[in-house]
Amino acid sequence: MRFFLILLGILLASFFLQEFIPVFGWAYSSRLLLVHTVFFAIAIAVPFPAMLFFALLAGFLWDARYHVPVVSPEAAADAITSAELPFGFTIFILGLTGALIQGVRTLFRRGRWELPVFMIGLCIVIGLLLQYLAISFHRGGLETPPELVWKLIMSGLFSALISPFLLLLLTRLA
């Protein structure tokens, strides 16, 4: 129970720290997604039902913080708003990629971190790609500039670089 509460505190602290992490302009304006990285590190360390709880919590808080309604210009007088992504879509993405990363949980428990670190970066890229595809579908056209691919890769690399420190912290706490 104490480990669960500590993980909850770490996840909530990552939301606070995410606000102070700058965008790396030299890396195609990518960023370190600390909340997602912490979630995936937690997803490797806990059983599947607890991972689903953390996906629900992290996705809900992320959408509550970053959900942006868009006012369409033709309906500005009526103040009809819609959003590029529906509220709760992050919960779906985190649950899906968290279930994917649960497959390498046994390696993490044995002390093998190579594949879990790679999978954290890959899940970040998959999550961002799913969001981009959903936004493109909503807009009605798929445009893939080369900068987008590099931005996805760099965001995944930044997350994979800090994930060993998070995994070490979770191992010591457990």
Side-chain angles (χ1 to χ4, degrees):
M1 181 67 177
R2 189 170 27 177
F3 181 63
F4 182 80
L5 293 175
I6 290 171
L7 292 180
L8 188 64
I10 290 172
L11 184 65
L12 294 176
S14 70
F15 276 97
F16 176 73
L17 293 174
Q18 180 71 47
E19 299 297 322
F20 299 105
I21 297 175
V23 173
F24 301 113
W26 55 270
Y28 299 98
S29 298
S30 60
R31 20 179 1 161
L32 167 64
L33 296 173
L34 184 65
V35 174
H36 294 73
T37 308
V38 167
F39 165 73
F40 290 128
I42 289 173
I44 290 176
V46 298
F48 190 73
M51 183 277 302
L52 289 177
F53 169 76
F54 282 110
L56 177 71
L57 180 68
F60 178 79
L61 290 176
W62 185 266
D63 281 349
R65 172 66 180 101
Y66 295 106
H67 187 76
V68 179
V70 179
V71 178
S72 59
E74 60 273 355
D78 299 330
I80 297 174
T81 60
S82 65
E84 298 268 271
L85 293 174
F87 191 87
F89 191 70
T90 307
I91 298 170
F92 170 72
I93 289 176
L94 290 179
L96 185 69
T97 53
L100 179 67
I101 209 163
Q102 280 278 310
V104 296
R105 184 170 181 251
T106 55
L107 289 174
F108 173 71
R109 294 181 76 186
R110 290 182 192 159
R112 302 295 308 233
W113 292 4
E114 300 87 12
L115 190 58
V117 167
F118 173 75
M119 286 295 293
I120 287 174
L122 182 67
C123 286
I124 295 285
V125 171
I126 290 172
L128 291 174
L129 184 64
L130 287 174
Q131 286 180 352
Y132 177 73
L133 291 175
I135 289 171
S136 295
F137 180 76
H138 185 258
R139 290 180 182 170
L142 181 64
E143 298 175 10
T144 54
E147 293 84 17
L148 172 75
V149 175
W150 285 109
K151 184 175 182 173
L152 294 176
I153 290 172
M154 294 305 283
S155 294
L157 281 176
F158 289 141
S159 299
L161 284 175
I162 67 157
S163 63
F165 302 109
L166 292 171
L167 294 174
L168 179 65
L169 174 68
L170 293 180
T171 302
R172 297 292 181 204
L173 289 174

